[in-house]
Amino acid sequence: MHHRYIKIILILLGFFKVSFLTAQQQPNIVFILSDDAGYADFGFQGSKEFKTPELDKLAKKSIKFSQAYVSAAVCGPSRAGILTGKYQQKFGFEENNVPGYMSTSGLVGDEMGLPLDQITIANYLQDLGYKTALFGKWHQGNADRFHPTKRGFDEFYGFRGGARSYMPYDDSNPLSKNEDRLERGFGNFLEHEGYLTDELAHEAISFINRNKKHPFFIYLSFNAVHTPMEATAEDLEQFPHLKGKRKTLAAMTLAMDRAIGTVLKELETQGLSNNTLIVFTNDNGGPSDANDSDNSPLSGTKANHLEGGIRVPFLMSWPKQLQKNKNYNYPISTLDLFPTFLSAASGNSSAMEELDGVNLLPYLKEENTERPHELLYWKKENRAAIRNQDWKLIRFPDRPAELYNIQEDISETNNVAAAHPEKVRELYKQLFTWELTLERPLWQLRREFEGKAAKRMDAFRKTNTKQ
């Protein structure tokens, strides 16, 4: 009997040893998302005006993607695609879930969010033994049933809506809406001290310290550099050569860069850097009308389907697995994050037929030299776009479609639709075939806002590309 107990104990110790090794081999995953940043507003993207020393250092340790796309040109749908790895139109999340939109059942604003039948990447990582956390902006539904802690995140510190002040709410800075409130966990509303960008980084660092013995997934979802345009006096002083919104945007970007640097430094201090997969990207193109962001050399801006609305900066670092200081030039999508993260965590996404993203790791390790995507799609209301290899068609509700060869014309200045009518027909047919697979939008813009949206779109088209 004594020997039997010893044998059982040895078996259990062996089991725990294997489990421990497996946990240690799984990489930590830190996904950093900026909000409404301009394509060119980072040093590693060529900016001579803005200062981003921490991200520039990360870029030298990363694979930099020259043709990274989001699945939507506005915040909420783009984030829904990231979280699910699917075109968000497949489950009706086609518009921002904000006041001014109404569902077919009459629900408005707060009562609309990421459908509860959609499983997030955080859910899957939890099942694989990860500790998961979201710090910052959620924007996937303000109602309690959509709360991050009910969608795969063990911890949450942030706000449920789409934007809020960077400063604490108090008598001098009154709260505008309930969803603007900062929240720790579920229902524990509290205000921070100092500048919110810094606070979100501090929360991420605390989480790293508390969970460094487990594989963890951090979704660091900055509201920087989304409006309101608010920066500290110290950061504004760093840009005496700039004025107005551009000056404030530069200061907000510097603050975000510095905050990111503190998180990356903590990973190094804890000896976790080599086995941490880090991704930095942006949720959509910069809204040059709202914050004076620079999307050059791309045409367009947030909310439209020109490259400036949907192409974003993108860095990926994993020292243990991927080369550093390398460029990847085929088009990819933020939809690819879900299967890539799942595969890195030793999960299997190959049997998940509903995913539209692909696991990027074989492509980045040059095990697969083909394009990750032959086709990419975008749609919002009657507006849509399709990219087939280097050809891109943009469909408008009020004028003929436009056709561009993106490889030859990154700024989309030469519409060649008239010269290639057969290509226009081909892409129209492919776009229509894809649209037949989609659900009807769960909510749409109220009629009184439609005229404003159309005017804004026309204004975007008339905006000259900054050079």
Side-chain angles (χ1 to χ4, degrees):
M1 185 68 69
H2 176 71
H3 294 295
R4 183 183 178 187
Y5 285 146
I6 292 175
K7 184 176 181 180
I8 291 172
I9 291 171
L10 289 174
I11 290 172
L12 290 173
L13 287 173
F15 170 79
F16 288 124
K17 181 178 179 181
V18 170
S19 299
F20 177 77
L21 288 174
T22 301
Q24 294 304 302
Q25 289 166 357
Q26 289 175 298
N28 304 306
I29 301 172
V30 177
F31 172 46
I32 305 171
L33 189 66
S34 60
D35 192 350
D36 280 7
Y39 186 75
D41 284 336
F42 300 91
F44 69 89
Q45 290 288 97
S47 178
K48 303 300 183 185
E49 292 182 323
F50 284 24
K51 301 175 182 179
T52 55
E54 299 299 332
L55 284 169
D56 296 349
K57 286 190 289 186
L58 178 63
K60 292 179 181 178
K61 302 175 182 178
S62 301
I63 295 177
K64 177 184 173 184
F65 296 77
S66 62
Q67 298 192 72
Y69 290 95
V70 290
S71 62
V74 292
C75 310
S78 174
R79 292 159 189 263
I82 290 170
L83 286 167
T84 62
K86 294 185 280 189
Y87 284 109
Q88 60 281 351
Q89 297 93 341
K90 284 187 172 181
F91 46 87
F93 201 138
E94 191 167 311
E95 305 276 5
N96 264 332
N97 53 324
V98 294
Y101 288 78
M102 177 177 288
S103 74
T104 54
S105 60
L107 297 177
V108 180
D110 289 358
E111 294 301 315
M112 299 182 290
L114 182 66
L116 299 182
D117 61 351
Q118 298 303 310
I119 303 174
T120 73
I121 182 58
N123 290 126
Y124 281 101
L125 291 175
Q126 274 184 330
D127 286 347
L128 290 171
Y130 276 70
K131 300 294 184 181
T132 61
L134 165 62
F135 302 112
K137 174 175 171 174
W138 175 232
H139 207 200
Q140 297 296 291
N142 297 325
D144 288 350
R145 64 183 180 278
F146 302 122
H147 196 271
T149 58
K150 299 182 181 181
R151 309 310 296 270
F153 292 98
D154 297 314
E155 296 190 20
F156 171 59
Y157 177 81
F159 57 99
R160 302 186 193 186
R164 63 152 281 152
S165 176
Y166 294 80
M167 308 303 179
Y169 286 120
D170 55 27
D171 292 341
S172 63
N173 186 28
L175 182 72
S176 61
K177 294 180 294 184
N178 286 339
E179 63 266 28
D180 288 340
R181 293 183 295 174
L182 277 178
E183 185 177 11
R184 186 183 300 282
F186 178 77
N188 182 23
F189 295 101
L190 72 168
E191 277 304 310
H192 63 102
E193 297 179 2
Y195 192 67
L196 182 56
T197 301
D198 295 328
E199 292 301 312
L200 298 179
H202 293 160
E203 291 291 326
I205 289 170
S206 173
F207 181 82
I208 291 169
N209 275 279
R210 288 182 282 109
N211 294 279
K212 58 189 174 184
K213 294 183 179 179
H214 306 276
F216 56 76
F217 170 55
I218 292 174
Y219 175 17
L220 183 49
S221 178
F222 287 109
N223 54 320
V225 289
H226 194 291
T227 54
M229 305 299 292
E230 297 173 348
T232 66
E234 293 80 7
D235 287 333
L236 288 167
E237 290 174 358
Q238 300 299 310
F239 301 94
H241 57 294
L242 298 176
K243 297 180 180 179
K245 290 181 181 180
R246 190 78 180 145
K247 182 186 186 79
T248 305
L249 183 65
M252 295 167 71
T253 303
L254 177 62
M256 180 180 66
D257 180 80
R258 183 175 59 245
I260 292 171
T262 64
V263 175
L264 301 183
K265 181 64 176 177
E266 187 64 25
L267 291 171
E268 293 179 4
T269 300
Q270 299 298 336
L272 300 173
S273 294
N274 283 340
N275 196 33
T276 299
L277 172 57
I278 300 169
V279 170
F280 170 78
T281 189
N282 191 52
D283 64 346
N284 46 247
S288 52
D289 61 330
N291 67 5
D292 206 14
S293 52
D294 182 2
N295 293 320
S296 62
L298 311 177
S299 292
T301 186
K302 175 182 178 178
N304 68 37
H305 292 141
L306 292 163
E307 293 289 284
I310 56 177
R311 190 188 290 207
V312 290
F314 195 109
L315 301 174
M316 183 182 292
S317 170
W318 188 6
K320 203 171 183 179
Q321 295 287 337
L322 301 176
Q323 297 182 42
K324 64 180 182 179
N325 201 22
K326 177 183 176 183
N327 291 327
Y328 188 81
N329 297 317
Y330 279 144
I332 65 152
S333 169
T334 49
L335 299 177
D336 300 332
L337 291 171
F338 185 117
T340 302
F341 290 166
L342 195 62
S343 177
S346 302
N348 182 12
S349 64
S350 60
M352 300 173 68
E353 296 180 357
E354 72 275 14
L355 292 182
D356 294 302
V358 302
N359 174 19
L360 292 175
L361 296 178
Y363 298 92
L364 303 181
K365 295 177 182 180
E366 300 181 352
E367 297 167 1
N368 189 332
T369 58
E370 301 297 318
R371 287 174 176 251
H373 298 276
E374 291 293 319
L375 293 164
L376 291 170
Y377 305 94
W378 299 268
K379 178 182 180 294
K380 187 174 187 286
E381 301 162 347
N382 293 325
R383 296 178 286 125
I386 178 174
R387 177 163 175 174
N388 182 332
Q389 297 194 36
D390 291 329
W391 291 102
K392 180 181 172 188
L393 178 90
I394 307 178
R395 186 185 72 198
F396 303 96
D398 56 352
R399 57 184 180 274
E402 297 177 0
L403 180 70
Y404 299 97
N405 186 306
I406 299 301
Q407 189 65 30
E408 299 175 358
D409 182 17
I410 188 175
S411 300
E412 294 171 295
T413 57
N414 184 24
N415 175 17
V416 295
H420 297 278
E422 73 292 340
K423 182 59 69 173
V424 172
R425 286 193 295 270
E426 175 190 346
L427 296 184
Y428 248 119
K429 183 177 180 180
Q430 290 175 327
L431 180 57
F432 182 68
T433 300
W434 174 69
E435 288 179 305
L436 291 176
T437 69
L438 308 179
E439 290 289 336
R440 292 176 62 85
L442 291 176
W443 51 85
Q444 294 179 317
L445 191 62
R446 286 178 177 174
R447 186 175 301 276
E448 60 264 31
F449 289 90
E450 290 177 354
K452 294 180 181 179
K455 290 179 180 178
R456 190 179 185 199
M457 180 68 184
D458 288 339
F460 288 158
R461 290 288 300 158
K462 293 175 182 177
T463 302
N464 291 325
T465 303
K466 296 181 180 181
Q467 301 292 342

